[in-house]
Amino acid sequence: MKKTFVLLLTIHSLLFSQRFSHSLHTGVVQQRVTAADDTLNILAVMVQFQTDTDDRSSGNGQFDLGISATPIIDAPPHDSAYFADHFVFAQNYFRKASNGKQHINATLLGTVITLPKQMKDYAPISGNLPLATMVEEVWKKVDTLNPGFSFASYDLFVVLHAGVGKDVDLRAALGYDPTPYDLPSLYFNLNALKNLFGASFDGIPVQNSGFRIKNSVVLPETEVRKIPSVGGDFTLKLGLNGLLVASIA
């Protein structure tokens, strides 16, 4: 029997940060869900680092909450409303691409997690263990700040971090990497985490319920970056939507 299902993108109210208190740019999406349809429940959290002045990483470790002086793709402020809009795009994309069969429910936590180290300390310079360790730190801190939260209600876990994604090979064009401490966008499944933490690893434990987080997507606040050139910095303008959709898929 068919029933109407209301798909909402929510920002969790627990410990809501006032500087990220912008209202969502979304409405209610009405969908028809049948037994043959599939729903993916996503939990996302925003993460920033200790402030730095290191030119070997993009930005200063904090989310860009300024206002862009000129029109640009994925312009700041990069606040909760900004990320919420990207998830709405993902909802619309999968609904359209699947002819209404694939549904995306996304919950974006309102609290911004600030990690105890600088971005460079999590950069995978010689392997992905530092980045996986960051993921583990993030979800354990989310668990501590939100006792009793129902992690088991979600299928996919997303870490949205401050800074520019290290997803474009600049060595071919420049001959070197100007920002080696930027973080790449990756999807960690359980096997990938086992390879880094050991064969006995069975997910990141949260709460006292026995539930374990067994996957995580790592994504940046933006893919727009400045590239040094002879005539001055060149702005490479790349959008985040495609990377988000590909990571979910």
Side-chain angles (χ1 to χ4, degrees):
M1 180 178 179
K2 293 184 177 181
K3 62 180 181 179
T4 301
F5 181 79
V6 178
L7 178 62
L8 289 171
L9 181 68
T10 61
I11 288 186
H12 205 277
S13 61
L14 293 176
L15 302 176
F16 199 88
S17 173
Q18 291 302 310
R19 63 175 179 167
F20 290 88
S21 61
H22 307 266
S23 59
L24 288 176
H25 303 165
T26 67
V28 176
V29 181
Q30 301 284 349
Q31 299 193 59
R32 303 291 294 181
V33 175
T34 70
D37 295 340
D38 183 43
T39 297
L40 183 71
N41 296 306
I42 300 174
L43 179 64
V45 61
M46 298 170 62
V47 176
Q48 60 187 6
F49 311 94
Q50 296 299 311
T51 304
D52 70 71
T53 57
D54 196 329
D55 291 337
R56 293 171 295 177
S57 62
S58 300
N60 64 357
Q62 306 279 296
F63 284 108
D64 184 356
L65 302 180
I67 303 297
S68 179
T70 58
I72 191 172
I73 190 170
D74 285 348
H78 297 150
D79 51 29
S80 54
Y82 165 83
F83 287 110
D85 284 341
H86 284 294
F87 278 110
V88 170
F89 174 88
Q91 291 174 338
N92 293 335
Y93 172 85
F94 282 103
R95 185 178 67 253
K96 180 70 174 180
S98 68
N99 196 26
K101 297 297 184 181
Q102 178 65 61
H103 309 282
I104 302 296
N105 285 342
T107 300
L108 176 61
L109 294 177
T111 304
V112 178
I113 300 297
T114 300
L115 293 173
K117 301 176 183 178
Q118 295 181 343
M119 184 189 298
K120 65 179 182 181
D121 297 307
Y122 302 103
I125 301 299
S126 58
N128 289 329
L129 182 58
L131 197 58
T133 300
M134 182 193 81
V135 168
E136 184 179 39
E137 286 183 16
V138 167
W139 293 119
K140 285 185 175 180
K141 190 159 187 178
V142 170
D143 184 34
T144 300
L145 293 174
N146 300 277
F149 186 82
S150 181
F151 290 93
S153 300
Y154 298 93
D155 309 299
L156 179 65
F157 299 85
V158 179
V159 175
L160 304 164
H161 67 81
V164 181
K166 189 179 180 180
D167 302 309
V168 177
D169 183 9
L170 298 178
R171 291 181 181 273
L174 302 178
Y176 73 104
D177 185 354
T179 53
Y181 291 151
D182 283 350
L183 306 182
S185 301
L186 294 175
Y187 168 68
F188 289 102
N189 60 17
L190 182 58
N191 284 336
L193 294 172
K194 281 179 177 289
N195 288 337
L196 295 169
F197 291 128
S200 62
F201 181 81
D202 193 30
I204 302 167
V206 288
Q207 321 175 59
N208 295 318
S209 64
F211 181 78
R212 292 174 177 268
I213 294 175
K214 298 184 178 183
N215 66 64
S216 275
V217 172
V218 177
L219 292 174
E221 65 176 292
T222 183
E223 288 290 349
V224 177
R225 67 163 58 245
K226 291 188 180 298
I227 300 176
S229 65
V230 175
D233 289 347
F234 167 76
T235 301
L236 180 63
K237 304 172 184 178
L238 298 175
L240 190 60
N241 282 336
L243 188 59
L244 173 61
V245 167
S247 298
I248 293 173

